[in-house]
Each structure stands twice: as C-alpha cells, then as structure tokens.
Amino acid sequence: MTFRVEGLGTGATTNASGDFRIDGFKAGFDYKLDASVVDYILDQTVFEFNDIQNDVAFNVHATPHFVLSGRVTDASGKGVFGINLNLTGAQTSSLTTSADGSYSFLVTLHGDYTITPLVEQGFYTFGPQSQSVNALKGSRAALDFTSTFNASFS
C-alpha cells in the first residue's frame, strides 16, 4: 500500500507486515494522507490529521479486488459467444462469455481457483479442460481456452 502526504512531497510504502513510517511532520500542523494499492479496495483512502502533536497510529482495511480474465476462442482465434464457465475455489461463480469470447470473474478472497468451461450439450471440447491459479494474490489475465465444435447428427 502506498501513502502520499499532501503538502510534504513525501510518502511511504508498507512493509510485508503492513507497517509504515513517515517522518518530517511538524507539530501543530494539519496533514492529509492519500492511500492507494493495486488490486484492493480500501475502506478509506483519505486520512486527515489536525494539529499533530505526537505519533499517530491508524488502520486501513483492504479487501482484495482481483480479476481473473481470459477468452474462449475457436481454432482460428475468433471469440466464441455464450460459453458458460464455472469458477470454483475460495469462492464460486458462473458466467457466460461475451460476444468477443471474453470473460472476467471478480474475486475478493485470496486462495486457489479453477475456471472450467462447461461442455454444452456435447457440442464443444476445450483445451485446456480447465485453468487453475494457486495462491492468488493479484489479478490474472490470459486464462484462455480454445474451443472445438464437435457437432454430429444422427
């Protein structure tokens, strides 16, 4: 997480434990800190401290906001519309590919995930059969599938 101090031209980045320290504050002044972090939603992004006299401690709650995305295409690279996909793992969801074959799952928990396209009425096979992400700690793209249409009529 990154903090920027308005008016001081300084800031800080949290360490692995989430702790940080910013020096250079003068007693008796007001300060505003802006917080930001990639792939997370913060419960508060602006912190205002008035008439600082001593060290100040505060907490920020960050919720993961990761996107798992990709495309389902045919052998020529054309997107395949209407393919149902399931997300299993730390949280579950289902969706359908858009007109260009793209899809995006929003996940808010760290963990292991698997995305699996559903074989609809036996008409399609997919390569790979599923895509797995282990120990997710950030957004992942290019979780792609290639579909093969296998229609046979008797």
Side-chain angles (χ1 to χ4, degrees):
M1 187 173 315
T2 302
F3 292 92
R4 185 181 60 78
V5 182
E6 195 173 287
L8 266 186
T10 188
T13 301
T14 56
N15 63 21
S17 300
D19 302 322
F20 72 96
R21 179 181 177 93
I22 303 173
D23 295 317
F25 293 97
K26 294 181 182 178
F29 287 89
D30 299 339
Y31 294 96
K32 180 178 171 183
L33 277 75
D34 295 311
S36 64
V37 63
V38 174
D39 287 333
Y40 287 82
I41 294 179
L42 304 178
D43 64 343
Q44 186 175 347
T45 58
V46 176
F47 301 85
E48 294 187 24
F49 302 98
N50 299 312
D51 193 25
I52 298 269
Q53 298 297 323
N54 299 305
D55 287 350
V56 176
F58 62 96
N59 294 314
V60 179
H61 181 73
T63 302
H65 190 262
F66 306 140
V67 176
L68 301 177
S69 62
R71 285 185 75 211
V72 177
T73 59
D74 63 17
S76 70
K78 182 179 177 186
V80 181
F81 170 74
I83 300 297
N84 293 320
L85 294 117
N86 282 343
L87 174 72
T88 56
Q91 71 186 73
T92 61
S93 185
S94 296
L95 56 73
T96 303
T97 57
S98 62
D100 67 352
S102 64
Y103 71 88
S104 295
F105 287 102
L106 173 64
V107 297
T108 57
L109 298 171
H110 294 103
D112 299 337
Y113 291 92
T114 300
I115 299 169
T116 306
L118 301 179
V119 179
E120 299 297 324
Q121 302 169 8
F123 293 140
Y124 288 100
T125 56
F126 299 94
Q129 291 181 340
S130 65
Q131 291 271 18
S132 294
V133 177
N134 296 316
L136 180 69
K137 293 183 180 176
S139 293
R140 292 280 304 273
L143 298 168
D144 299 333
F145 298 92
T146 301
S147 67
T148 304
F149 186 65
N150 300 317
S152 61
F153 301 99
S154 8

